[in-house]
Amino acid sequence: MSDDIRVEDTGPVRVIRFDRVAKKNAITRAMYSAMARALEEASGDTAIRVVVIAGQDGVFTAGNDLVDFMEAPPHIGGADTPPVEDFMRALMGCSKPVIAAVDGMAIGIGTTLLLHCDLAYASTRAVFKTPFVDLALAPEFGSSQILPGLLGRSVASELLLLGESWDAGTAKARHLVSDVFEAETLEDEVMTRARALAAKAPSAIRAAKSLMTSPSEDLMERIKREGELFAELLRSEEFEEAVGAFMERRKPDFSKFG
């Protein structure tokens, strides 16, 4: 485990935090490996319901550590899986909801990873930039497909071709993040949402996340898959608890379900 990544479990919420402020949280191979393990462990731990990825006061991440990066340039999809790919696969495959809390700079993969989180929130001082073309490189980890689909090709080109910096207001207006908060309240707001997610029925959360992250398909096929999951959940103990709580006018307690 890298000393530059801190992992803390607060009840059902796991916080994975960049902790290399002297280097603006630039990410090394060891840091990627540590985050990959933390995400994989969270996926397999029924006690963990939600994962939060955060930085430090005023710094999310400056992206890859270029010195570390150049020592072993990653070949994504090659014979050997580099640590950055391990991390991104763990993020994309995480069965639990993942929330990003972006305070300060989110450069390169600091922006790319947001596209694979379930929710992303920013502070008013957040800055987003993907300088791949400026470094004579190409976009990474599906951003060339996801961003045009999310924002439209012209708007996506501001990030991926021009390499423009977006402030938090622009990122929210263009749906890169869900909401923006003052820096001093960002993590409290994120943790409030994380705890709210953690209190919900875990099987229903997994089903909804699985459906939303599945590849596009014929609409009737998707409706059929939704119906199958819906019918399966109707037979679950979690549904019984939800109905019982509604009838008894109390909050449901899903803490005993994994």
Side-chain angles (χ1 to χ4, degrees), residues 234 237-250 252 254:
L234 279 174
E237 292 182 353
E238 292 172 30
F239 179 68
E240 290 182 10
E241 168 61 18
V243 172
F246 178 80
M247 299 299 291
E248 295 165 14
R249 298 184 179 182
R250 60 175 175 83
F254 297 112

Side-chain angles (χ1 to χ4, degrees), residues 6-71:
R6 283 198 287 123
V7 180
E8 181 181 2
D9 295 339
T10 304
V13 180
R14 168 161 290 187
V15 179
I16 301 173
R17 188 181 300 279
F18 299 114
D19 192 18
R20 197 182 180 219
V21 180
K23 296 293 185 178
K24 298 182 180 178
N25 291 337
I27 311 171
T28 62
R29 285 167 288 166
M31 292 166 71
Y32 281 125
S33 294
M35 291 190 291
R37 286 195 296 273
L39 284 164
E40 289 163 355
E41 290 169 359
S43 283
D45 188 344
T46 57
I48 302 299
R49 302 292 183 93
V50 180
V51 176
V52 171
I53 298 177
Q56 297 291 341
D57 186 32
V59 184
F60 187 61
T61 175
N64 287 307
D65 181 295
L66 288 180
V67 174
D68 184 88
F69 180 87
M70 292 308 298
E71 286 178 357

Side-chain angles (χ1 to χ4, degrees), residues 131-222:
F132 304 117
V133 169
D134 293 343
L135 293 170
L137 297 171
E140 60 184 358
F141 293 106
S143 57
S144 63
Q145 178 172 305
I146 297 170
L147 277 170
L150 178 68
L151 310 174
R153 181 173 169 181
S154 179
V155 175
S157 293
E158 292 184 5
L159 280 179
L160 297 181
L161 295 184
L162 287 173
E164 289 188 355
S165 295
W166 287 359
D167 61 18
T170 302
K172 180 184 177 183
R174 293 177 172 175
H175 310 296
L176 185 62
V177 299
S178 302
D179 210 343
V180 176
F181 302 103
E182 295 297 328
E184 57 269 23
T185 64
L186 172 65
E187 291 207 11
D188 286 342
E189 294 283 358
V190 168
M191 290 301 291
T192 294
R193 287 156 176 78
R195 286 189 287 267
L197 275 174
K200 297 182 185 295
S203 293
I205 289 287
R206 284 194 297 271
K209 173 166 179 169
S210 175
L211 286 165
M212 287 193 291
T213 55
S214 294
S216 297
E217 59 190 313
D218 176 80
L219 183 57
M220 287 309 301
E221 288 300 316
R222 175 57 62 92

Side-chain angles (χ1 to χ4, degrees), residues 71-84:
E71 286 178 357
H75 179 187
I76 308 304
D80 297 320
T81 305
V84 61

